[in-house]
């Protein structure tokens, strides 16, 4: 497993992918050509992946995200050291927090 800030990246085998995960809509790259895993609402910084690959998300704020890196890649962020990722599939999990009356994704 890999963690960068409030983002957890868990390697999964193709057999562990839920049915239809590979058919989810592919997320577009940002203007810098990165796959953004999480965007900081306060700072504008992003946890992002550089390199070839695809990011697919289930709908909704708590929907799972699935990252496919056919050649590997690197997770980058303006305030963290880069993390190299080997080729393969990953589940991307955003940290959540409880506030009275709600559960929400952690705001960076």
């Amino acid at each position: 497993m890999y963690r960068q800030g409030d983002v957890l990246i868990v390697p999964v085998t193709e057999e562990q992918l839920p049915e239809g995960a590979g058919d989810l809509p592919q997320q577009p790259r940002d203007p810098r050509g990165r796959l953004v895993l999480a965007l900081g609402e306060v700072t504008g910084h992003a946890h992002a992946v550089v390199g070839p690959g695809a990011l697919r998300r289930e709908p909704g704020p708590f929907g799972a995200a699935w990252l496919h890196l056919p050649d590997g890649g690197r997770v980058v962020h303006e305030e963290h050291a880069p993390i190299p990722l080997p080729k393969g599939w990953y589940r991307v999990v955003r940290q959540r927090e409880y506030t009275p009356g709600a559960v929400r994704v952690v705001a960076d």
Side-chain angles (χ1 to χ4, degrees), residues 11-54:
V12 295
T13 64
E14 285 194 49
E15 294 78 26
Q16 293 173 310
L17 286 173
E19 187 174 332
D23 298 325
L24 291 167
Q26 188 168 321
Q27 299 295 295
R29 291 180 178 266
D30 73 356
R32 294 169 56 182
R34 307 173 303 170
L35 295 168
V36 176
L37 307 178
L39 182 62
E41 295 85 2
V42 176
T43 64
H45 295 164
H47 298 278
V49 172
V50 293

Side-chain angles (χ1 to χ4, degrees), residues 41-93:
E41 295 85 2
V42 176
T43 64
H45 295 164
H47 298 278
V49 172
V50 293
L55 178 64
R56 301 173 185 280
R57 289 187 196 274
E58 295 174 1
F62 300 114
W66 304 96
L67 175 65
H68 183 232
L69 300 175
D71 301 321
R74 283 185 313 128
V75 182
V76 297
H77 186 277
E78 291 84 348
E79 298 174 339
H80 300 285
I83 300 172
L85 297 175
K87 68 180 180 177
W89 279 94
Y90 299 87
R91 178 163 187 217
V92 179
V93 181

